[in-house]
Amino acid sequence: MNIIDGEKVECGRCDEVISLEDANVLGKTNNRSYAKPLCDGCLKKVGVPKGYELERDVSYLIEN
């Protein structure tokens, strides 16, 4: 996951730039090094596949 300007990230599916406050992050349950940010629209289309967990609040990643 590449953070842009300290507070934005690209959706891993549609490449829309979204704020970290609005990002949803899918991560593999058994692999903490995998994190795929998704915008709300893509999350609605994809859902949370088996073996993944959803983290909705990633605002702690914002760099000031």
Side-chain angles (χ1 to χ4, degrees):
M1 176 168 41
N2 294 328
I3 298 173
I4 303 166
D5 294 332
E7 60 187 43
K8 298 175 188 161
V9 68
E10 263 186 22
C11 174
R13 189 164 188 266
C14 71
D15 297 328
E16 177 184 348
V17 176
I18 51 178
S19 74
L20 282 170
E21 291 178 346
D22 295 332
N24 306 290
V25 177
L26 281 180
K28 288 194 174 186
T29 304
N30 59 357
N31 184 356
R32 291 289 180 199
S33 64
Y34 179 86
K36 185 172 186 175
L38 295 174
C39 66
D40 286 337
C42 288
L43 178 62
K44 287 178 186 173
K45 292 176 186 172
V46 174
V48 181
K50 185 176 181 176
Y52 289 79
E53 57 186 21
L54 178 65
E55 186 174 3
R56 289 190 180 269
D57 183 12
V58 290
S59 58
Y60 62 88
L61 295 173
I62 294 174
E63 300 169 0
N64 291 326

Short mmCIF file of all heavy atoms in Angstrom, two decimals:
data_model
loop_
_atom_site.label_atom_id
_atom_site.label_comp_id
_atom_site.label_asym_id
_atom_site.label_seq_id
_atom_site.Cartn_x
_atom_site.Cartn_y
_atom_site.Cartn_z
N MET A 1 0.85 -1.17 0.00
CA MET A 1 0.00 0.00 0.00
C MET A 1 0.90 1.23 0.00
O MET A 1 1.71 1.42 0.90
CB MET A 1 -0.90 -0.05 1.24
CG MET A 1 -1.75 1.15 1.39
SD MET A 1 -3.08 1.06 2.62
CE MET A 1 -2.39 0.22 3.99
N ASN A 2 0.76 2.06 -1.02
CA ASN A 2 1.54 3.29 -1.12
C ASN A 2 0.71 4.48 -0.69
O ASN A 2 -0.28 4.81 -1.33
CB ASN A 2 2.03 3.51 -2.56
CG ASN A 2 3.01 2.45 -2.99
OD1 ASN A 2 3.77 1.93 -2.18
ND2 ASN A 2 3.00 2.11 -4.27
N ILE A 3 1.16 5.14 0.37
CA ILE A 3 0.47 6.32 0.88
C ILE A 3 0.94 7.53 0.09
O ILE A 3 2.13 7.74 -0.09
CB ILE A 3 0.72 6.49 2.38
CG1 ILE A 3 0.16 5.27 3.13
CG2 ILE A 3 0.10 7.78 2.90
CD1 ILE A 3 0.48 5.23 4.59
N ILE A 4 -0.01 8.33 -0.37
CA ILE A 4 0.28 9.50 -1.20
C ILE A 4 0.08 10.75 -0.35
O ILE A 4 -0.96 10.92 0.29
CB ILE A 4 -0.68 9.55 -2.41
CG1 ILE A 4 -0.55 8.26 -3.22
CG2 ILE A 4 -0.40 10.77 -3.28
CD1 ILE A 4 -1.67 8.07 -4.23
N ASP A 5 1.04 11.63 -0.36
CA ASP A 5 0.97 12.91 0.37
C ASP A 5 0.65 12.74 1.85
O ASP A 5 0.07 13.62 2.48
CB ASP A 5 -0.06 13.85 -0.25
CG ASP A 5 0.32 14.31 -1.65
OD1 ASP A 5 1.53 14.36 -1.94
OD2 ASP A 5 -0.58 14.61 -2.45
N GLY A 6 0.97 11.58 2.41
CA GLY A 6 0.80 11.36 3.83
C GLY A 6 -0.61 11.07 4.30
O GLY A 6 -0.83 10.68 5.43
N GLU A 7 -1.61 11.23 3.40
CA GLU A 7 -2.99 11.04 3.85
C GLU A 7 -3.93 10.44 2.81
O GLU A 7 -5.12 10.32 3.04
CB GLU A 7 -3.57 12.37 4.34
CG GLU A 7 -3.60 13.44 3.27
CD GLU A 7 -4.02 14.79 3.81
OE1 GLU A 7 -3.56 15.17 4.88
OE2 GLU A 7 -4.83 15.44 3.13
N LYS A 8 -3.40 10.03 1.67
CA LYS A 8 -4.23 9.46 0.62
C LYS A 8 -3.63 8.13 0.17
O LYS A 8 -2.45 7.87 0.35
CB LYS A 8 -4.33 10.41 -0.57
CG LYS A 8 -4.97 11.72 -0.24
CD LYS A 8 -4.93 12.65 -1.41
CE LYS A 8 -5.42 14.03 -0.99
NZ LYS A 8 -4.98 15.05 -1.93
N VAL A 9 -4.47 7.32 -0.48
CA VAL A 9 -4.04 6.03 -0.98
C VAL A 9 -4.86 5.72 -2.24
O VAL A 9 -5.97 6.21 -2.39
CB VAL A 9 -4.21 4.94 0.11
CG1 VAL A 9 -5.66 4.68 0.41
CG2 VAL A 9 -3.48 3.68 -0.24
N GLU A 10 -4.29 4.92 -3.14
CA GLU A 10 -5.00 4.51 -4.34
C GLU A 10 -5.79 3.25 -4.06
O GLU A 10 -5.27 2.32 -3.44
CB GLU A 10 -4.01 4.21 -5.47
CG GLU A 10 -3.82 5.32 -6.42
CD GLU A 10 -2.94 4.91 -7.61
OE1 GLU A 10 -2.83 3.72 -7.92
OE2 GLU A 10 -2.36 5.81 -8.19
N CYS A 11 -7.02 3.22 -4.54
CA CYS A 11 -7.82 2.00 -4.44
C CYS A 11 -7.10 0.91 -5.23
O CYS A 11 -6.65 1.14 -6.36
CB CYS A 11 -9.21 2.24 -5.01
SG CYS A 11 -10.24 0.74 -5.08
N GLY A 12 -6.98 -0.26 -4.65
CA GLY A 12 -6.28 -1.37 -5.28
C GLY A 12 -7.04 -2.00 -6.43
O GLY A 12 -6.52 -2.86 -7.12
N ARG A 13 -8.26 -1.56 -6.66
CA ARG A 13 -9.08 -2.16 -7.73
C ARG A 13 -9.34 -1.18 -8.87
O ARG A 13 -9.16 -1.52 -10.02
CB ARG A 13 -10.40 -2.64 -7.15
CG ARG A 13 -11.23 -3.46 -8.09
CD ARG A 13 -12.31 -4.20 -7.34
NE ARG A 13 -12.99 -5.14 -8.19
CZ ARG A 13 -14.11 -4.86 -8.85
NH1 ARG A 13 -14.68 -3.69 -8.73
NH2 ARG A 13 -14.67 -5.79 -9.61
N CYS A 14 -9.71 0.06 -8.55
CA CYS A 14 -10.08 1.01 -9.60
C CYS A 14 -9.10 2.18 -9.73
O CYS A 14 -9.28 3.04 -10.58
CB CYS A 14 -11.49 1.55 -9.38
SG CYS A 14 -11.64 2.70 -7.98
N ASP A 15 -8.10 2.25 -8.86
CA ASP A 15 -7.06 3.28 -8.88
C ASP A 15 -7.54 4.68 -8.50
O ASP A 15 -6.82 5.65 -8.67
CB ASP A 15 -6.34 3.34 -10.23
CG ASP A 15 -5.61 2.05 -10.55
OD1 ASP A 15 -5.14 1.39 -9.60
OD2 ASP A 15 -5.51 1.69 -11.74
N GLU A 16 -8.77 4.80 -7.98
CA GLU A 16 -9.24 6.09 -7.48
C GLU A 16 -8.41 6.47 -6.25
O GLU A 16 -8.10 5.63 -5.41
CB GLU A 16 -10.71 5.99 -7.08
CG GLU A 16 -11.27 7.25 -6.48
CD GLU A 16 -12.71 7.10 -6.00
OE1 GLU A 16 -13.36 6.09 -6.32
OE2 GLU A 16 -13.18 8.00 -5.30
N VAL A 17 -8.02 7.74 -6.16
CA VAL A 17 -7.28 8.21 -4.99
C VAL A 17 -8.28 8.61 -3.92
O VAL A 17 -9.18 9.41 -4.17
CB VAL A 17 -6.35 9.40 -5.36
CG1 VAL A 17 -5.65 9.94 -4.12
CG2 VAL A 17 -5.32 8.96 -6.40
N ILE A 18 -8.15 7.99 -2.74
CA ILE A 18 -9.07 8.24 -1.63
C ILE A 18 -8.28 8.59 -0.37
O ILE A 18 -7.11 8.26 -0.26
CB ILE A 18 -9.97 7.01 -1.36
CG1 ILE A 18 -9.11 5.75 -1.22
CG2 ILE A 18 -11.01 6.84 -2.42
CD1 ILE A 18 -9.88 4.49 -0.89
N SER A 19 -8.93 9.26 0.55
CA SER A 19 -8.25 9.60 1.80
C SER A 19 -8.17 8.34 2.67
O SER A 19 -9.00 7.44 2.57
CB SER A 19 -9.00 10.70 2.55
OG SER A 19 -10.18 10.20 3.12
N LEU A 20 -7.16 8.28 3.50
CA LEU A 20 -7.02 7.15 4.42
C LEU A 20 -8.20 7.07 5.38
O LEU A 20 -8.55 5.99 5.84
CB LEU A 20 -5.71 7.24 5.20
CG LEU A 20 -4.47 6.81 4.42
CD1 LEU A 20 -3.21 7.18 5.18
CD2 LEU A 20 -4.49 5.33 4.13
N GLU A 21 -8.83 8.20 5.67
CA GLU A 21 -10.00 8.19 6.55
C GLU A 21 -11.18 7.47 5.91
O GLU A 21 -12.03 6.93 6.60
CB GLU A 21 -10.40 9.62 6.91
CG GLU A 21 -9.38 10.30 7.81
CD GLU A 21 -9.75 11.73 8.13
OE1 GLU A 21 -10.64 12.31 7.47
OE2 GLU A 21 -9.15 12.28 9.07
N ASP A 22 -11.23 7.45 4.56
CA ASP A 22 -12.34 6.80 3.85
C ASP A 22 -11.98 5.42 3.31
O ASP A 22 -12.84 4.74 2.75
CB ASP A 22 -12.78 7.69 2.68
CG ASP A 22 -13.37 9.01 3.14
OD1 ASP A 22 -13.91 9.06 4.25
OD2 ASP A 22 -13.26 10.00 2.39
N ALA A 23 -10.74 5.01 3.45
CA ALA A 23 -10.28 3.74 2.87
C ALA A 23 -10.73 2.54 3.70
O ALA A 23 -10.87 2.62 4.92
CB ALA A 23 -8.76 3.74 2.76
N ASN A 24 -10.98 1.46 3.02
CA ASN A 24 -11.24 0.16 3.62
C ASN A 24 -10.07 -0.72 3.20
O ASN A 24 -9.65 -0.70 2.06
CB ASN A 24 -12.53 -0.45 3.05
CG ASN A 24 -13.70 0.49 3.17
OD1 ASN A 24 -14.18 0.74 4.25
ND2 ASN A 24 -14.15 1.06 2.06
N VAL A 25 -9.52 -1.50 4.11
CA VAL A 25 -8.35 -2.30 3.79
C VAL A 25 -8.66 -3.78 4.00
O VAL A 25 -9.05 -4.19 5.08
CB VAL A 25 -7.13 -1.87 4.64
CG1 VAL A 25 -5.94 -2.77 4.35
CG2 VAL A 25 -6.77 -0.42 4.35
N LEU A 26 -8.48 -4.54 2.91
CA LEU A 26 -8.60 -5.99 3.00
C LEU A 26 -7.23 -6.57 3.28
O LEU A 26 -6.25 -6.23 2.62
CB LEU A 26 -9.10 -6.58 1.67
CG LEU A 26 -10.57 -6.47 1.37
CD1 LEU A 26 -10.86 -7.11 0.02
CD2 LEU A 26 -11.42 -7.11 2.43
N GLY A 27 -7.15 -7.43 4.25
CA GLY A 27 -5.90 -8.09 4.58
C GLY A 27 -6.13 -9.58 4.71
O GLY A 27 -7.20 -10.01 5.11
N LYS A 28 -5.12 -10.36 4.35
CA LYS A 28 -5.24 -11.81 4.52
C LYS A 28 -5.13 -12.13 6.00
O LYS A 28 -4.28 -11.60 6.70
CB LYS A 28 -4.16 -12.53 3.73
CG LYS A 28 -4.40 -12.48 2.25
CD LYS A 28 -3.55 -13.47 1.52
CE LYS A 28 -3.94 -13.47 0.06
NZ LYS A 28 -3.24 -14.49 -0.67
N THR A 29 -5.98 -13.00 6.45
CA THR A 29 -6.05 -13.36 7.86
C THR A 29 -4.72 -13.90 8.37
O THR A 29 -4.28 -13.57 9.46
CB THR A 29 -7.16 -14.40 8.10
OG1 THR A 29 -8.37 -13.87 7.59
CG2 THR A 29 -7.32 -14.71 9.56
N ASN A 30 -4.03 -14.69 7.58
CA ASN A 30 -2.79 -15.31 8.04
C ASN A 30 -1.53 -14.65 7.47
O ASN A 30 -0.44 -15.20 7.58
CB ASN A 30 -2.78 -16.80 7.69
CG ASN A 30 -2.93 -17.04 6.20
OD1 ASN A 30 -3.08 -16.11 5.43
ND2 ASN A 30 -2.91 -18.29 5.80
N ASN A 31 -1.65 -13.48 6.84
CA ASN A 31 -0.50 -12.81 6.23
C ASN A 31 -0.63 -11.30 6.44
O ASN A 31 -1.23 -10.60 5.64
CB ASN A 31 -0.44 -13.15 4.74
CG ASN A 31 0.78 -12.58 4.05
OD1 ASN A 31 1.56 -11.85 4.64
ND2 ASN A 31 0.95 -12.90 2.79
N ARG A 32 -0.04 -10.79 7.48
CA ARG A 32 -0.15 -9.37 7.81
C ARG A 32 0.56 -8.45 6.82
O ARG A 32 0.35 -7.26 6.83
CB ARG A 32 0.40 -9.11 9.22
CG ARG A 32 -0.45 -9.70 10.30
CD ARG A 32 -1.70 -8.90 10.39
NE ARG A 32 -2.58 -9.43 11.44
CZ ARG A 32 -3.85 -9.15 11.49
NH1 ARG A 32 -4.39 -8.38 10.60
NH2 ARG A 32 -4.59 -9.64 12.45
N SER A 33 1.42 -9.00 5.96
CA SER A 33 2.14 -8.15 5.01
C SER A 33 1.29 -7.82 3.79
O SER A 33 1.67 -7.00 2.97
CB SER A 33 3.45 -8.82 4.58
OG SER A 33 3.18 -10.01 3.88
N TYR A 34 0.12 -8.44 3.64
CA TYR A 34 -0.76 -8.17 2.52
C TYR A 34 -1.88 -7.24 2.97
O TYR A 34 -2.63 -7.56 3.88
CB TYR A 34 -1.37 -9.47 1.98
CG TYR A 34 -2.32 -9.24 0.83
CD1 TYR A 34 -1.85 -9.15 -0.46
CD2 TYR A 34 -3.68 -9.09 1.06
CE1 TYR A 34 -2.72 -8.92 -1.51
CE2 TYR A 34 -4.55 -8.87 0.01
CZ TYR A 34 -4.07 -8.79 -1.28
OH TYR A 34 -4.93 -8.55 -2.31
N ALA A 35 -1.97 -6.08 2.32
CA ALA A 35 -3.04 -5.13 2.62
C ALA A 35 -3.45 -4.46 1.32
O ALA A 35 -2.63 -3.86 0.64
CB ALA A 35 -2.58 -4.10 3.63
N LYS A 36 -4.73 -4.56 0.98
CA LYS A 36 -5.24 -3.98 -0.27
C LYS A 36 -6.30 -2.93 0.07
O LYS A 36 -7.38 -3.28 0.56
CB LYS A 36 -5.82 -5.06 -1.15
CG LYS A 36 -6.27 -4.57 -2.50
CD LYS A 36 -6.65 -5.72 -3.39
CE LYS A 36 -6.96 -5.21 -4.78
NZ LYS A 36 -7.22 -6.33 -5.69
N PRO A 37 -6.00 -1.65 -0.17
CA PRO A 37 -6.99 -0.61 0.10
C PRO A 37 -8.09 -0.61 -0.97
O PRO A 37 -7.81 -0.84 -2.14
CB PRO A 37 -6.17 0.68 0.04
CG PRO A 37 -5.01 0.37 -0.82
CD PRO A 37 -4.74 -1.09 -0.65
N LEU A 38 -9.32 -0.38 -0.54
CA LEU A 38 -10.45 -0.32 -1.45
C LEU A 38 -11.33 0.88 -1.13
O LEU A 38 -11.53 1.21 0.04
CB LEU A 38 -11.31 -1.59 -1.33
CG LEU A 38 -10.69 -2.91 -1.75
CD1 LEU A 38 -11.65 -4.05 -1.42
CD2 LEU A 38 -10.34 -2.92 -3.22
N CYS A 39 -11.87 1.50 -2.17
CA CYS A 39 -12.86 2.56 -1.96
C CYS A 39 -14.19 1.89 -1.61
O CYS A 39 -14.35 0.67 -1.75
CB CYS A 39 -12.97 3.43 -3.21
SG CYS A 39 -13.64 2.58 -4.66
N ASP A 40 -15.17 2.64 -1.17
CA ASP A 40 -16.47 2.08 -0.77
C ASP A 40 -17.16 1.36 -1.93
O ASP A 40 -17.74 0.30 -1.75
CB ASP A 40 -17.38 3.18 -0.23
CG ASP A 40 -16.97 3.65 1.16
OD1 ASP A 40 -16.30 2.88 1.88
OD2 ASP A 40 -17.33 4.79 1.52
N GLY A 41 -17.08 1.94 -3.14
CA GLY A 41 -17.73 1.33 -4.30
C GLY A 41 -17.16 -0.04 -4.64
O GLY A 41 -17.90 -0.99 -4.90
N CYS A 42 -15.84 -0.16 -4.60
CA CYS A 42 -15.20 -1.45 -4.90
C CYS A 42 -15.45 -2.45 -3.78
O CYS A 42 -15.63 -3.64 -4.05
CB CYS A 42 -13.70 -1.27 -5.15
SG CYS A 42 -13.36 -0.46 -6.73
N LEU A 43 -15.49 -1.99 -2.54
CA LEU A 43 -15.78 -2.90 -1.43
C LEU A 43 -17.18 -3.49 -1.58
O LEU A 43 -17.40 -4.68 -1.35
CB LEU A 43 -15.65 -2.19 -0.09
CG LEU A 43 -15.98 -3.03 1.14
CD1 LEU A 43 -15.04 -4.23 1.25
CD2 LEU A 43 -15.94 -2.19 2.40
N LYS A 44 -18.14 -2.69 -2.04
CA LYS A 44 -19.50 -3.18 -2.25
C LYS A 44 -19.52 -4.26 -3.33
O LYS A 44 -20.26 -5.23 -3.25
CB LYS A 44 -20.44 -2.05 -2.63
CG LYS A 44 -20.77 -1.14 -1.47
CD LYS A 44 -21.66 -0.01 -1.89
CE LYS A 44 -21.86 0.96 -0.73
NZ LYS A 44 -22.59 2.16 -1.15
N LYS A 45 -18.70 -4.09 -4.37
CA LYS A 45 -18.65 -5.06 -5.47
C LYS A 45 -17.93 -6.34 -5.06
O LYS A 45 -18.36 -7.44 -5.41
CB LYS A 45 -17.94 -4.45 -6.68
CG LYS A 45 -18.71 -3.34 -7.34
CD LYS A 45 -17.92 -2.73 -8.46
CE LYS A 45 -18.64 -1.51 -9.02
NZ LYS A 45 -17.81 -0.79 -9.99
N VAL A 46 -16.83 -6.22 -4.33
CA VAL A 46 -15.98 -7.36 -4.00
C VAL A 46 -16.43 -8.06 -2.72
O VAL A 46 -16.39 -9.29 -2.63
CB VAL A 46 -14.51 -6.90 -3.84
CG1 VAL A 46 -13.63 -8.01 -3.35
CG2 VAL A 46 -13.98 -6.34 -5.14
N GLY A 47 -16.84 -7.27 -1.72
CA GLY A 47 -17.15 -7.84 -0.42
C GLY A 47 -15.88 -8.28 0.30
O GLY A 47 -14.78 -7.86 -0.07
N VAL A 48 -16.02 -9.11 1.28
CA VAL A 48 -14.87 -9.62 2.03
C VAL A 48 -14.76 -11.12 1.74
O VAL A 48 -15.53 -11.92 2.28
CB VAL A 48 -15.01 -9.37 3.54
CG1 VAL A 48 -13.80 -9.89 4.29
CG2 VAL A 48 -15.20 -7.88 3.82
N PRO A 49 -13.81 -11.51 0.87
CA PRO A 49 -13.67 -12.93 0.53
C PRO A 49 -13.23 -13.77 1.73
O PRO A 49 -12.65 -13.26 2.68
CB PRO A 49 -12.57 -12.93 -0.54
CG PRO A 49 -12.43 -11.52 -0.99
CD PRO A 49 -12.88 -10.67 0.14
N LYS A 50 -13.50 -15.05 1.65
CA LYS A 50 -13.09 -15.99 2.70
C LYS A 50 -11.58 -15.94 2.84
O LYS A 50 -10.85 -15.91 1.85
CB LYS A 50 -13.54 -17.40 2.34
CG LYS A 50 -13.28 -18.40 3.43
CD LYS A 50 -13.83 -19.76 3.06
CE LYS A 50 -13.56 -20.73 4.20
NZ LYS A 50 -14.15 -22.02 3.93
N GLY A 51 -11.10 -15.89 4.08
CA GLY A 51 -9.66 -15.84 4.33
C GLY A 51 -9.11 -14.43 4.44
O GLY A 51 -7.92 -14.23 4.62
N TYR A 52 -9.99 -13.43 4.32
CA TYR A 52 -9.60 -12.04 4.42
C TYR A 52 -10.34 -11.40 5.59
O TYR A 52 -11.41 -11.84 5.98
CB TYR A 52 -9.94 -11.26 3.14
CG TYR A 52 -9.08 -11.63 1.97
CD1 TYR A 52 -9.31 -12.79 1.24
CD2 TYR A 52 -8.02 -10.83 1.58
CE1 TYR A 52 -8.52 -13.13 0.17
CE2 TYR A 52 -7.23 -11.16 0.51
CZ TYR A 52 -7.49 -12.32 -0.20
OH TYR A 52 -6.70 -12.66 -1.26
N GLU A 53 -9.77 -10.32 6.10
CA GLU A 53 -10.46 -9.53 7.12
C GLU A 53 -10.48 -8.08 6.66
O GLU A 53 -9.62 -7.64 5.90
CB GLU A 53 -9.80 -9.68 8.48
CG GLU A 53 -8.36 -9.32 8.54
CD GLU A 53 -7.74 -9.64 9.89
OE1 GLU A 53 -8.27 -10.47 10.63
OE2 GLU A 53 -6.70 -9.04 10.19
N LEU A 54 -11.46 -7.35 7.12
CA LEU A 54 -11.66 -5.96 6.72
C LEU A 54 -11.30 -5.04 7.86
O LEU A 54 -11.74 -5.22 8.99
CB LEU A 54 -13.12 -5.75 6.31
CG LEU A 54 -13.51 -4.33 5.92
CD1 LEU A 54 -12.78 -3.91 4.66
CD2 LEU A 54 -15.01 -4.25 5.72
N GLU A 55 -10.50 -4.04 7.55
CA GLU A 55 -10.18 -3.00 8.52
C GLU A 55 -10.72 -1.69 7.94
O GLU A 55 -10.29 -1.25 6.87
CB GLU A 55 -8.67 -2.92 8.73
CG GLU A 55 -8.25 -1.96 9.81
CD GLU A 55 -6.76 -2.00 10.10
OE1 GLU A 55 -6.02 -2.73 9.43
OE2 GLU A 55 -6.35 -1.27 11.01
N ARG A 56 -11.67 -1.09 8.62
CA ARG A 56 -12.30 0.12 8.11
C ARG A 56 -11.60 1.40 8.58
O ARG A 56 -11.63 2.39 7.89
CB ARG A 56 -13.76 0.17 8.52
CG ARG A 56 -14.60 -0.83 7.79
CD ARG A 56 -16.08 -0.57 8.05
NE ARG A 56 -16.90 -1.53 7.35
CZ ARG A 56 -17.39 -1.35 6.14
NH1 ARG A 56 -17.10 -0.27 5.47
NH2 ARG A 56 -18.15 -2.27 5.58
N ASP A 57 -11.00 1.38 9.73
CA ASP A 57 -10.34 2.58 10.24
C ASP A 57 -8.83 2.45 10.16
O ASP A 57 -8.21 1.80 10.99
CB ASP A 57 -10.77 2.85 11.68
CG ASP A 57 -10.17 4.13 12.24
OD1 ASP A 57 -9.61 4.93 11.46
OD2 ASP A 57 -10.26 4.35 13.46
N VAL A 58 -8.26 3.04 9.13
CA VAL A 58 -6.80 3.03 8.98
C VAL A 58 -6.25 4.45 9.10
O VAL A 58 -5.18 4.76 8.60
CB VAL A 58 -6.36 2.37 7.66
CG1 VAL A 58 -6.61 0.87 7.68
CG2 VAL A 58 -7.02 3.01 6.47
N SER A 59 -7.00 5.30 9.78
CA SER A 59 -6.57 6.69 9.94
C SER A 59 -5.27 6.80 10.72
O SER A 59 -4.58 7.81 10.63
CB SER A 59 -7.67 7.53 10.62
OG SER A 59 -8.00 6.98 11.87
N TYR A 60 -4.91 5.75 11.47
CA TYR A 60 -3.64 5.78 12.21
C TYR A 60 -2.43 5.78 11.27
O TYR A 60 -1.33 6.07 11.67
CB TYR A 60 -3.56 4.57 13.17
CG TYR A 60 -3.57 3.23 12.49
CD1 TYR A 60 -2.39 2.64 12.07
CD2 TYR A 60 -4.77 2.55 12.28
CE1 TYR A 60 -2.40 1.40 11.43
CE2 TYR A 60 -4.78 1.32 11.67
CZ TYR A 60 -3.60 0.74 11.25
OH TYR A 60 -3.64 -0.48 10.61
N LEU A 61 -2.65 5.49 9.97
CA LEU A 61 -1.56 5.52 9.00
C LEU A 61 -1.27 6.92 8.44
O LEU A 61 -0.30 7.11 7.73
CB LEU A 61 -1.88 4.58 7.83
CG LEU A 61 -1.98 3.09 8.17
CD1 LEU A 61 -2.47 2.31 6.95
CD2 LEU A 61 -0.63 2.57 8.64
N ILE A 62 -2.13 7.87 8.76
CA ILE A 62 -1.95 9.24 8.26
C ILE A 62 -0.65 9.82 8.83
O ILE A 62 -0.40 9.77 10.03
CB ILE A 62 -3.14 10.14 8.63
CG1 ILE A 62 -4.39 9.65 7.91
CG2 ILE A 62 -2.85 11.60 8.28
CD1 ILE A 62 -5.67 10.38 8.31
N GLU A 63 0.16 10.34 7.91
CA GLU A 63 1.43 10.96 8.31
C GLU A 63 1.26 12.47 8.28
O GLU A 63 0.83 13.03 7.29
CB GLU A 63 2.53 10.56 7.33
CG GLU A 63 2.75 9.06 7.27
CD GLU A 63 3.63 8.65 6.12
OE1 GLU A 63 4.09 9.52 5.35
OE2 GLU A 63 3.86 7.44 5.98
N ASN A 64 1.57 13.11 9.36
CA ASN A 64 1.42 14.59 9.41
C ASN A 64 2.65 15.28 8.88
O ASN A 64 3.72 14.98 8.99
CB ASN A 64 1.19 15.04 10.85
CG ASN A 64 -0.18 14.58 11.33
OD1 ASN A 64 -1.12 14.53 10.54
ND2 ASN A 64 -0.28 14.24 12.59
#
